[in-house]
Amino acid sequence: MARQTVAERHAQLITLGRQLFSTLPYDSISTDDIARAAGVQVMELLAKNIRPRDICTREAFINAARVVAATGGSTNGALHLPAMASEAGIDFDLFDVAEVFKTTPYIADLKPGGKYVAKDMHDAGGVYMVMKTLMDAGLIHRDCMTVTGKTIGENIDEVTWNPDQKVIYPVSSPLSPTGGVVGLRGSLAPDGAIVKVAGMHKLQFTGPARVFECEEDAFAAVEARSINEGEVIVIRYEGPKGGPGMREMLSTTAALYGQGMGEKVALITDGRFSGATRGFCIGHVGPEAADGGPIALVENGDIITIDAVAGTIDLDVPAHVLTARRAGWAPRTNAYQSGALWRYAQNVGPASKGALTHPGAAAERHVYADI
């Protein structure tokens, strides 16, 4: 085989660098090539004076939220996208994400709610194939700049729709008319919450609360099979500040599903969930318990109503009762009272804004990119 010239290798790395921002399976290329391609692409962007904030616009975040919704993506999208937007000086919170989700069809038949895995979607055409049908329906802002030096519209115009693949449905015949993730708001979550409904058949739930002060206690109850059908499991003090760190509740949800209880109970938390979570699981409840949100005042037996169609989550307790409970409430003290996690807990903001530890680019007075 003839040895590649420097120019040929450079062109190959540029092509690879652009692919890295798609769904290219990790095991299809070497980590050395990934590193080199990323470096070459960065130098290309510098040469063209294309900077992150030229790419990371509000419209670009709307496009990103569209893809999360269309692929039945994780509820973590409603945490990561607001956090990244803040770094770019853009106000884009959980409710902005939820509004996009509400108007985006669910079109990629992916696990855990669907049949296929991410590699199958890549083989079917990847993210650009998803975006092509979204763009054809007018759901993508096509003028957003990308790392290729072209707009997203120009990139997608080069993609040919593959009618033979089975993973990605056209917008004209979606798996469901709205995205796989829904934003909730109500008396239990004035600052919002999020639920993944992709693959779910039951979108309303009402039941008595079963309250736990941490995930370990909830998991122990599930393990002991003491959870009753119809209950709403409440796991609190697992938010950004209360955890601290907002860890995933994957162990408890997996155990519930393994016992056949996944569709028979609901679970709410001020923590978060993995993309692999199944069942009626509501996360990011805000304000979190550590900040004295309503979730901190819930008691066993309180009736909680969740409606993922209407986008509501409510606690059926009279206001005067909640006022009396609040008078006797004191925040739970977590185990981290010094060190890095203590400092994190002092600085971290609400999940609805991305659980930030600083004000973001909107507060900048000096932009390093302008040096």
Side-chain angles (χ1 to χ4, degrees):
M1 181 181 293
R3 185 179 179 85
Q4 281 184 311
T5 67
V6 172
E8 288 171 336
R9 179 59 172 159
H10 183 78
Q12 181 187 46
L13 288 173
I14 289 177
T15 300
L16 177 57
R18 292 170 181 175
Q19 290 176 324
L20 292 178
F21 298 93
S22 66
T23 51
L24 193 67
Y26 177 78
D27 62 358
S28 65
I29 50 177
S30 75
T31 53
D32 287 346
D33 279 345
I34 290 173
R36 292 190 187 98
V40 168
Q41 190 65 39
V42 167
M43 298 308 294
E44 285 287 312
L45 291 167
L46 286 172
K48 294 175 181 177
N49 197 32
I50 299 174
R51 294 179 293 187
R53 291 180 193 177
D54 297 321
I55 295 171
C56 298
T57 62
R58 182 176 179 81
E59 291 73 21
F61 282 105
I62 291 173
N63 287 346
R66 290 261 187 237
V67 172
V68 172
T71 56
S74 173
T75 53
N76 286 317
L79 186 69
H80 301 321
L81 291 174
M84 289 186 287
S86 178
E87 293 287 349
I90 298 165
D91 186 11
F92 192 71
D93 64 16
L94 180 147
F95 294 107
D96 293 309
V97 176
E99 186 61 31
V100 176
F101 289 167
K102 188 166 62 176
T103 57
T104 306
Y106 171 41
I107 60 173
D109 194 8
L110 297 175
K111 290 180 180 294
K115 300 177 184 177
Y116 302 100
V117 296
K119 185 180 184 302
D120 296 322
M121 189 174 83
H122 171 75
D123 293 340
V127 169
Y128 271 178
M129 187 68 70
V130 173
M131 296 184 79
K132 182 169 185 64
T133 186
L134 291 173
M135 191 175 76
D136 289 347
L139 295 174
I140 292 292
H141 291 280
R142 60 173 294 125
D143 294 332
C144 295
M145 179 55 61
T146 72
V147 293
T148 67
K150 299 178 181 179
T151 66
I152 192 69
E154 290 171 328
N155 287 337
I156 294 174
D157 285 342
E158 297 174 5
V159 175
T160 301
W161 175 259
N162 177 5
D164 298 323
Q165 55 80 31
K166 305 297 183 184
V167 182
I168 304 163
Y169 286 56
V171 167
S172 58
S173 56
L175 290 160
S176 67
T178 60
V181 179
V182 173
L184 306 174
R185 179 181 252 165
S187 60
L188 184 55
D191 287 352
I194 202 87
V195 58
K196 184 173 181 178
V197 298
M200 286 176 52
H201 303 291
K202 185 177 182 180
L203 300 180
Q204 290 92 13
F205 198 102
T206 298
R210 180 75 177 276
V211 182
F212 299 94
E213 307 300 324
C214 63
E215 187 192 13
E216 287 82 359
D217 291 349
F219 183 80
V222 174
E223 196 172 34
R225 296 184 178 271
S226 67
I227 300 297
N228 300 311
E229 184 176 332
E231 289 182 326
V232 179
I233 302 167
V234 179
I235 305 178
R236 60 192 179 195
Y237 294 104
E238 293 289 6
K241 182 180 294 185
M246 204 177 184
R247 58 184 172 162
E248 296 175 345
M249 303 292 106
L250 182 57
S251 297
T252 300
T253 57
L256 282 167
Y257 220 88
Q259 292 178 5
M261 293 286 282
E263 304 293 337
K264 299 176 182 178
V265 298
L267 191 156
I268 70 170
T269 180
D270 49 10
R272 63 192 182 96
F273 293 108
S274 161
T277 296
R278 293 179 290 178
F280 213 151
C281 299
I282 293 93
H284 304 204
V285 170
E288 64 173 295
D291 278 332
I295 192 173
L297 308 178
V298 179
E299 295 184 358
N300 287 330
D302 289 348
I303 299 300
I304 294 172
T305 298
I306 307 153
D307 188 335
V309 176
T312 58
I313 178 168
D314 291 302
L315 177 64
D316 186 15
V317 175
H320 72 276
V321 174
L322 290 179
T323 299
R325 290 181 187 178
R326 186 173 296 283
W329 173 80
R332 173 177 175 266
T333 301
N334 65 57
Y336 303 95
Q337 293 302 301
S338 66
L341 285 176
W342 174 87
R343 184 173 294 281
Y344 170 86
Q346 310 313 304
N347 294 329
V348 71
S352 62
K353 299 287 187 182
L356 305 169
T357 56
H358 63 89
E364 285 182 355
R365 295 297 177 267
H366 177 75
V367 182
Y368 292 101
D370 291 337
I371 295 176

